[in-house]
């Protein structure tokens, strides 16, 4: 199924929230392709909106071993009046 999902996405009508849903496309290819999945643990952010994207980006920056400490300091300075 490496590329079949992309054809399916092109032909999938908008679903919830008026957005094309990857899950709808996956469901459409289930009859003709094997689908494999794994459970992922951790934080989940909806990067389909500005706040979710900002939260994901900030979490990534905070957890980064190179810039995490400096970013935490910078973020804290933004909260000081």
């Amino acid at each position: 199924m490496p590329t079949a999902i992309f054809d399916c996405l092109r032909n999938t009508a908008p679903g919830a929230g008026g957005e094309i849903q990857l899950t709808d496309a996956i469901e459409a290819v289930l009859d003709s392709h094997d689908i494999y999945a794994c459970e992922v643990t951790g934080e989940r952010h909806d990067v389909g909106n500005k706040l979710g994207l900002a939260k994901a980006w900030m979490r990534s920056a905070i957890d980064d071993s190179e810039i995490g400490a400096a970013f935490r300091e910078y973020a804290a300075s933004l909260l000081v009046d």
Side-chain angles (χ1 to χ4, degrees):
M1 182 196 73
T3 60
I5 194 71
F6 296 109
D7 292 332
C8 207
L9 283 168
R10 278 190 275 288
N11 298 314
T12 299
E19 299 177 347
I20 295 174
Q21 300 294 314
L22 177 59
T23 52
D24 292 343
I26 292 170
E27 183 178 20
V29 298
L30 279 174
D31 290 334
S32 58
H33 295 82
D34 292 332
I35 303 293
Y36 300 95
C38 64
E39 185 174 344
V40 178
T41 58
E43 288 185 60
R44 178 191 173 282
H45 299 286
D46 179 357
V47 297
N49 64 67
K50 290 179 183 180
L51 180 58
L53 181 60
K55 286 179 178 180
W57 188 89
M58 287 185 69
R59 172 52 57 197
S60 178
I62 287 169
D63 291 345
D64 187 272
S65 61
E66 289 182 48
I67 66 166
F71 185 81
R72 278 190 293 278
E73 185 178 317
Y74 169 70
S77 74
L78 296 175
L79 300 175
V80 178
D81 288 331

